[in-house]
Amino acid sequence: MLKSARKKEKDPEGRMPLAEHLRELRNRLAKALLAIVAVTIVAAFFYKDIIEFFTNPILTAVGCDSTFSELAQQSSGNCARIVLNGLLTPFTLALKVSLMAGVIFASPVWLYQLWGFVAPGLHKHERKYAYAFVGTGVPLFLGGAFFAYKTLPTMAKVLLEFSPADLDNQLPLDDLLDLIVRMVLVFGLSFELPLLLIMLNLTGALTGRRMMSWWRGMIMGITVFAAVATPSTDPLTMLALAGPIWILYFFATGFSLLNDRRRRRRAALGPADDEASELDLTPEAIGEVEAVAPGPGRALPEQATAERVNGYDDVT
């Protein structure tokens, strides 16, 4: 009975004192960190498999069909060899790979905790848009990461062709993994461009016609960005990044044009039955003031009444 009496009812609009906000933030951060640590510990037992998952396509593309363990036992070869420099590098690399896997695979947990902290302060329509953006943004990011994973072998093959003959290529594994992570992030974030444009259009900050007028500059800008973001010099890798972004940009433009047309049609129909119409608060000019003739029963004299304007007596 005491616990039920002390238990406070939650505010339906999610309002709470600052101390309770901080307490909830602490609890949700603790749950998110515990999930990341737990997944990191599990991933530490499979970090070699994770490394092979990223490196085997690159090794196969440059002519190395051996596995990572077999390649480490070879003294020489005609293909690139992945090496580790330093005594502590294997240990730090294992920590880095395990932590990266922990953050990625525990993302449903910490994203849920983040959403649980932010959602009570949002309105219903804002939650609907948030669900739509999260549900669309995650597949777009994963699509960009997939393109990066598929283009990395081609990129590695082109770059290693610049090596002089009869020389052994040695690729530091930590540098190679940093390059892979950077490419995945660049490809994934670049695929979020249409989502950003659609969000600006839904908020009314950008129109579809304005986006359509930018198409030449956007194609050139996306091409230059793809050329800079991809380390290789071959056009295939650049087009693998630029082509999908072009398609997504024109898709966002078409969606914005349709949304603008729907918005104009709704404005022409006027407000709905359950919506309040907009009030016109523009002040209007007052016409000439007419003199008020004295009537029976008035206490003011005729001269004072003639100087009375808008119901106010100007006689002092």
Side-chain angles (χ1 to χ4, degrees):
M1 292 295 293
L2 292 177
K3 290 183 178 180
S4 60
R6 293 178 180 176
K7 188 176 180 180
K8 298 181 179 178
E9 296 182 358
K10 292 185 177 180
D11 192 290
E13 297 183 2
R15 293 173 297 188
M16 62 179 64
L18 178 60
E20 294 187 13
H21 270 296
L22 296 177
R23 190 179 300 110
E24 182 186 7
L25 178 62
R26 181 196 61 188
N27 295 335
R28 293 191 179 278
L29 286 177
K31 293 177 182 179
L33 290 177
L34 285 176
I36 293 176
V37 170
V39 178
T40 300
I41 293 175
V42 175
F45 294 95
F46 304 97
Y47 81 96
K48 292 183 179 179
D49 298 328
I50 298 174
I51 292 175
E52 289 186 359
F53 174 77
F54 287 105
T55 56
N56 282 343
I58 297 177
L59 293 176
T60 304
V62 297
C64 302
D65 297 330
S66 303
T67 61
F68 185 71
S69 57
E70 294 174 352
L71 194 65
Q73 298 175 359
Q74 298 178 4
S75 58
S76 61
N78 56 356
C79 62
R81 298 180 65 245
I82 298 179
V83 297
L84 293 174
N85 297 322
L87 183 62
L88 296 177
T89 303
F91 178 71
T92 56
L93 184 64
L95 290 180
K96 182 189 297 185
V97 173
S98 302
L99 182 60
M100 180 182 65
V103 173
I104 294 175
F105 290 110
S107 58
V109 178
W110 57 263
L111 283 176
Y112 173 78
Q113 297 298 328
L114 178 62
W115 174 254
F117 181 75
V118 175
L122 300 177
H123 298 288
K124 290 184 178 180
H125 67 280
E126 293 174 337
R127 295 182 188 181
K128 180 181 66 175
Y129 285 135
Y131 281 127
F133 285 127
V134 172
T136 308
V138 172
L140 286 176
F141 184 85
L142 294 179
F146 177 77
F147 270 90
Y149 182 75
K150 287 298 183 180
T151 55
L152 276 171
T154 305
M155 179 192 68
K157 183 177 180 179
V158 172
L159 290 177
L160 291 180
E161 287 179 353
F162 289 94
S163 301
D166 301 329
L167 291 181
D168 188 15
N169 292 289
Q170 295 185 353
L171 307 178
L173 183 56
D174 50 351
D175 294 342
L176 181 60
L177 289 178
D178 290 340
L179 176 63
I180 293 173
V181 172
R182 186 161 57 250
M183 290 293 295
V184 168
L185 290 177
V186 168
F187 274 63
L189 293 178
S190 62
F191 272 51
E192 302 291 337
L193 173 65
L195 188 63
L196 176 62
L197 295 176
I198 291 176
M199 181 179 66
L200 292 175
N201 178 260
L202 290 176
T203 56
L206 187 62
T207 62
R209 185 173 298 179
R210 177 71 61 85
M211 292 167 55
M212 194 63 189
S213 64
W214 293 347
W215 72 272
R216 294 182 180 86
M218 290 297 294
I219 289 180
M220 180 60 66
I222 292 172
T223 304
V224 173
F225 169 77
V228 175
T230 52
S232 62
T233 57
D234 65 304
L236 295 178
T237 305
M238 183 189 69
L239 291 177
L241 175 60
I245 302 179
W246 291 340
I247 297 174
L248 292 174
Y249 166 72
F250 284 109
F251 172 79
T253 303
F255 176 87
S256 301
L257 290 173
L258 293 177
N259 183 58
D260 292 342
R261 183 182 302 175
R262 180 184 60 84
R263 187 179 299 166
R264 289 192 299 267
R265 189 183 304 116
R266 179 180 298 179
L269 294 176
D273 296 337
D274 56 348
E275 295 180 353
S277 59
E278 297 182 359
L279 297 177
D280 187 6
L281 302 179
T282 305
E284 297 181 357
I286 301 176
E288 297 181 359
V289 180
E290 299 180 357
V292 180
R298 290 184 179 270
L300 295 177
E302 181 178 357
Q303 183 179 2
T305 306
E307 297 178 359
R308 191 175 179 84
V309 178
N310 291 336
Y312 295 95
D313 193 356
D314 292 341
V315 179
T316 57

